[in-house]
Amino acid sequence: MSDKDGKKRKRQSNGVPAPNKKTHIDGQPTGTAKVAISENGLPPVIGSAPGLSVPQISFKAYAKASGRAKDSTKIKPDTHSVILHSTKHPKLDYTATPAASESQTAHYVAVYDPKAQKLQIVPSHHLNLRSTLRTENQEVKDNQQKRTIAQQREQLGQEFGTKKSKKAIASKTLNAITKGNEDGKSAEIENAILETMADTTANDQNQAQLAEAALAAKPIPKPDMSADNFEDVYPLNTLIPPGDMRLVQVKEWQDKARAEEPIMFNNRFSAGRVVAIGKSDDVNKLKALRYLNLLLDFNAALGTAGRSGKKVPKKDVLSKKLEAYPEALVDSVRRRFSESNELNKWHQDYLYTHMCALSLYIDHYVTDISNLKDDLRLENRQVGQYFHELGCRVGPPTEKERETRGMSKAQAAATRIAKLKLPLDFPRPRMMRKR
């Protein structure tokens, strides 16, 4: 209330004078408190939830070490970032993340013990709590997953699809298909891609099986298609069976070659290489030369049978012509390269390709086909075709090879060199024209 003159009057007291100092509260500590900073144990978390009413739910904590972390096992606010997440609410998901604006701000929690008069300061994390509707999160994840699968299908279509599927994908990209037509068009593209992939896979498997079967039916030694070295394409144990390898005798050739004594041959190929190989310590190569010489003598001993076939002579006649070789070895060659003592076109090609493969092994997979051409009494084109069937490239010698072999230009023009190349390239089968 106020007086009549308009001035406020003081409140009436009850006779007790007002104190000049604050009232003393019982239990309030007096004296000096000890302050200590503690970093033992897990640091506490200070959470801010502006505009949210957080229910009583539990959170799961996730920590990640930063680049400044030296000891990843000890979690500190300055070396680790912490995230809290909870899915305990029936409809909402709660996530507490560090505030980006407070990356340079440190937060602490102080705990005072009045009995011991100690103030403990603990570094703490400061997080901002947000909530999201769970159904919305699930829809976002589903859309991202669908988009990822669609992109993968389009990529597969671009790599392995047919012209139809590639055209559909390009049309979708260029014409900016609307949302209403996107689902139907995507389904059409996916179906086209899946059908194409199934057809392509089946065709690839069929083509691989047909190619393998066609290669197995060829009259050539069985090659190793996965070989990385020349020696592994036609290994010696494939060209010469182990049983025949033990029967091949080379001691006489080796002794005469080292003593420089003459060795009589019916074949130019063996005569031109026996001295160099016999003086070396490569017994396997000398055995390969001896076995090739046997095949050349065996081919020369064959008689004619029909228009294109050849016939193996009788046993006593064959043994007399090949008396320089063990009888068991001659009989093994007869059974290997003939059927019922006859060689049709397939068996002859099988014999010739083995000779060519042995010549590649002896000449380190680069051989002059002239000697074999003369020994087999064939043309360059025919012998070259046999080397082609083995995966070789046949052509005239290079200028460096001509100089190394001491050949004139005229001789080089009439010479053909067979070289085994990796990866193997076999000639394609000829297609018969339809009448």
Side-chain angles (χ1 to χ4, degrees), residues 9 45 56 87 107 113 215 233-234 350 353 357 409 412 414 434:
R9 60 183 178 86
V45 175
Q56 296 294 329
T87 58
H107 296 268
D113 186 359
L215 185 61
V233 178
Y234 298 105
Y350 190 60
T353 53
K409 292 186 178 181
K434 294 183 180 180

Side-chain angles (χ1 to χ4, degrees), residues 50 69 117 144 153 169 196 210 240 266 283 320 355 364 415:
Q117 292 188 357
Q144 292 178 351
R153 291 185 182 278
I169 295 173
T196 303
L210 290 175
I240 305 177
N266 297 324
V283 180
K320 186 176 181 179
M355 295 181 190
H364 200 64
T415 304

Side-chain angles (χ1 to χ4, degrees), residues 13-173:
S13 62
N14 53 3
V16 180
N20 295 328
K21 297 183 179 181
K22 294 183 179 180
T23 305
H24 176 72
I25 301 175
D26 295 337
Q28 183 175 0
T30 58
T32 304
K34 296 181 180 180
V35 180
I37 298 177
S38 175
E39 295 183 354
N40 298 326
L42 294 176
V45 175
I46 301 174
S48 299
L52 294 179
S53 177
V54 184
Q56 296 294 329
I57 55 176
S58 60
F59 287 83
K60 288 185 178 181
Y62 302 92
K64 181 180 179 181
S66 61
R68 296 175 294 174
K70 296 182 180 180
D71 187 4
S72 59
T73 60
K74 195 171 184 179
I75 300 176
K76 297 180 180 179
D78 58 341
T79 60
H80 290 72
S81 60
V82 176
I83 295 177
L84 301 180
H85 184 70
S86 176
T87 58
K88 299 299 182 180
H89 194 274
K91 294 183 179 181
L92 298 176
D93 289 344
Y94 289 92
T95 304
T97 58
S101 59
E102 298 184 1
S103 58
Q104 304 297 328
T105 305
H107 296 268
Y108 297 90
V109 173
V111 181
Y112 180 71
D113 186 359
K115 293 183 179 180
Q117 292 188 357
K118 291 183 179 181
L119 181 65
Q120 188 176 12
I121 300 176
V122 183
S124 62
H125 298 274
H126 180 233
L127 305 178
N128 290 335
L129 185 65
R130 294 291 183 268
S131 64
T132 54
L133 189 62
R134 186 173 295 117
T135 54
E136 180 182 353
N137 288 339
Q138 190 64 33
E139 289 178 359
V140 172
K141 292 181 180 179
D142 293 342
N143 292 334
Q144 292 178 351
Q145 185 177 8
K146 290 180 181 179
R147 192 181 306 113
T148 303
I149 294 175
Q151 292 174 354
Q152 292 176 354
R153 291 185 182 278
E154 290 183 3
Q155 186 176 3
L156 287 174
Q158 291 287 1
E159 294 292 337
F160 305 104
T162 58
K163 293 182 179 179
K164 179 181 178 181
S165 60
K166 291 180 180 179
K167 184 178 180 181
I169 295 173
S171 177
K172 176 183 175 181
T173 305

Side-chain angles (χ1 to χ4, degrees), residues 251-375:
K251 185 67 169 61
E252 180 183 0
W253 279 13
Q254 195 173 41
D255 294 341
K256 288 185 177 181
R258 292 179 177 178
E260 297 185 355
E261 296 180 5
I263 306 174
M264 302 303 296
F265 289 100
N266 297 324
N267 309 302
R268 294 183 59 188
F269 188 92
S270 304
R273 294 162 175 80
V274 65
V275 176
I277 300 176
K279 289 183 178 181
S280 66
D281 296 329
D282 197 342
V283 180
N284 287 336
K285 187 167 289 188
L286 189 60
K287 284 192 173 187
L289 182 63
R290 180 79 172 182
Y291 192 81
L292 174 58
N293 193 75
L294 169 60
L295 296 184
L296 290 170
D297 291 341
F298 174 77
N299 179 70
L302 298 176
T304 59
R307 296 181 59 183
S308 60
K310 292 187 177 182
K311 187 175 180 61
V312 180
K314 292 184 179 180
K315 186 175 182 180
D316 54 344
V317 177
L318 184 63
S319 299
K320 186 176 181 179
K321 290 184 177 181
L322 304 176
E323 59 183 359
Y325 306 96
E327 185 176 351
L329 181 59
V330 174
D331 189 62
S332 176
V333 170
R334 177 188 61 80
R335 288 184 281 104
R336 185 183 182 192
F337 294 101
S338 67
E339 184 177 358
S340 300
N341 288 333
E342 289 188 0
L343 282 78
N344 56 19
K345 183 64 169 62
W346 191 93
H347 290 94
Q348 293 179 48
D349 293 343
Y350 190 60
L351 175 62
Y352 291 157
T353 53
H354 272 75
M355 295 181 190
C356 295
L358 284 169
S359 70
L360 288 172
Y361 175 82
I362 294 168
D363 289 346
H364 200 64
Y365 304 96
V366 179
T367 183
D368 183 356
I369 71 173
S370 302
N371 295 147
L372 274 184
K373 173 185 73 71
D374 296 336
D375 294 337

